[in-house]
């Protein structure tokens, strides 16, 4: 994703807005990207997701979701290890093996039924664990809400996904398309509710994302006195 990296570094020269939210100094640009993403979503992604839900039986969609989740567990396990989370690393390793061998290659989420919790970890969380500041809020083209730290980590997250290990380009593209449809299908009702209930959906999405990321990095126990401008301390 060289274009994404160039865009992120180019943002360093963007003018900030006086009296803007300290977390979102690039708000005018971010709002423009948000509008662009919304247009693309309404024109292409949402209709495809709706067709996916309508045409594909639920048990098939569940199987696809489980397979994609099993693949993503591999990178989550790697990030848990980089964060020195021994128990999480071991349990995710067990999840992968249980679902791969007993869950028919991941079609069935046997591990969750056995009480092995699914943990989603990415490289942005790993950087946050080791004290890298989140930086300004950033709305990425097509990819959605992020921060400067998480945005710079995104190319590695994408390349490290096991689906990229397939040599056939058609297979990689199919898995990428399946991930997009799977995620968007799961958000069909949520996005509509946000747009209908929020006076400013952009602000709602921004605040919800930043709160969730803070919560993720601190494993569900963020400090009450968290200062966005300070480094994220390693989780206990």
């Amino acid at each position: 994703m060289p274009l994404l990296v160039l865009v992120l570094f180019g943002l360093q020269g963007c003018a900030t807005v006086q009296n803007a939210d300290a977390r979102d100094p690039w708000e005018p640009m971010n709002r423009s990207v948000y509008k662009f993403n919304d247009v693309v979503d309404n024109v292409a992604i949402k209709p495809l997701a709706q067709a996916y839900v309508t045409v594909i039986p639920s048990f098939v969609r569940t199987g696809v979701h489980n397979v994609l989740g099993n693949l993503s567990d591999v990178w989550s396990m790697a990030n848990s290890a980089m964060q020195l989370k021994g128990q999480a690393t071991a349990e995710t390793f067990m999840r992968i093996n249980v679902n791969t061998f007993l869950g028919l290659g991941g079609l069935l989420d046997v591990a969750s039924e056995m009480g092995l919790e699914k943990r989603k970890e990415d490289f942005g969380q790993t950087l946050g664990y080791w004290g890298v500041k989140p930086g300004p809020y950033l709305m990425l083209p097509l990819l959605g809400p992020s921060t400067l730290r998480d945005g710079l980590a995104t190319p590695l997250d994408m390349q490290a996904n096991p689906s990229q290990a397939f040599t056939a380009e058609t297979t990689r593209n199919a898995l990428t398309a399946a991930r997009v449809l799977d995620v968007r299908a799961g958000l069909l009702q949520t996005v509509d509710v946000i747009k209908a209930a929020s006076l400013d959906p952009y602000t709602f999405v921004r605040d919800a994302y930043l709160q969730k990321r803070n919560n993720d990095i601190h494993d569900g126990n963020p400090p009450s006195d968290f200062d966005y401008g300070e480094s994220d301390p390693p989780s206990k």
Side-chain angles (χ1 to χ4, degrees):
M1 296 287 289
L3 178 59
L4 174 60
V5 175
L6 288 176
V7 170
L8 292 176
F9 281 112
L11 292 176
Q12 300 291 344
C14 291
T16 58
V17 180
Q18 188 175 8
N19 299 325
D21 188 312
R23 305 167 302 171
D24 190 8
W26 300 326
E27 183 173 342
M29 180 204 64
N30 284 332
R31 284 186 178 273
S32 295
V33 176
Y34 175 83
K35 291 178 182 178
F36 168 76
N37 289 349
D38 194 45
V39 170
V40 173
D41 182 64
N42 287 328
V43 171
I45 301 176
K46 180 180 178 181
L48 287 173
Q50 290 173 324
Y52 175 68
V53 170
T54 301
V55 174
I56 305 300
S58 60
F59 73 91
V60 175
R61 298 199 309 272
T62 298
V64 170
H65 177 80
N66 290 341
V67 169
L68 295 172
N70 195 44
L71 288 172
S72 69
D73 279 346
V74 176
W75 185 230
S76 291
M77 179 184 67
N79 278 282
S80 291
M82 285 187 279
Q83 296 171 42
L84 308 182
K85 298 177 181 177
Q87 181 177 347
T89 303
E91 290 184 357
T92 304
F93 176 77
M94 292 176 63
R95 274 189 59 88
I96 295 168
N97 281 278
V98 167
N99 283 340
T100 299
F101 295 106
L102 299 182
L104 306 178
L107 282 171
L108 305 176
D109 188 2
V110 179
S112 291
E113 297 180 5
M114 294 173 59
L116 292 171
E117 179 184 357
K118 182 176 181 65
R119 295 177 171 87
K120 297 183 68 174
E121 302 281 353
D122 55 49
F123 194 61
Q125 288 171 253
T126 297
L127 292 176
Y129 176 89
W130 289 109
V132 178
K133 297 178 181 179
Y137 176 71
L138 186 62
M139 181 63 68
L140 297 175
L142 302 180
L143 299 178
S146 185
T147 61
L148 184 59
R149 176 193 63 206
D150 294 344
L152 290 172
T154 295
L156 180 59
D157 284 330
M158 297 175 69
Q159 289 300 315
N161 191 291
S163 63
Q164 297 301 308
F166 289 94
T167 55
E169 183 177 357
T170 54
T171 302
R172 296 197 303 270
N173 291 339
L175 288 170
T176 298
R179 283 203 308 272
V180 172
L181 289 178
D182 179 62
V183 171
R184 188 59 181 91
L187 294 173
L188 282 174
Q189 294 184 344
T190 302
V191 172
D192 289 343
V193 168
I194 290 174
K195 288 182 177 180
S198 302
L199 295 176
D200 184 3
Y202 169 83
T203 300
F204 182 93
V205 170
R206 179 192 65 196
D207 293 348
Y209 175 81
L210 293 176
Q211 182 178 0
K212 181 180 184 301
R213 286 303 283 177
N214 183 27
N215 191 68
D216 289 343
I217 288 170
H218 293 90
D219 293 330
N221 188 32
S224 58
D225 58 346
F226 177 74
D227 183 347
Y228 189 85
E230 298 296 329
S231 300
D232 296 328
S235 303
K236 300 296 184 182

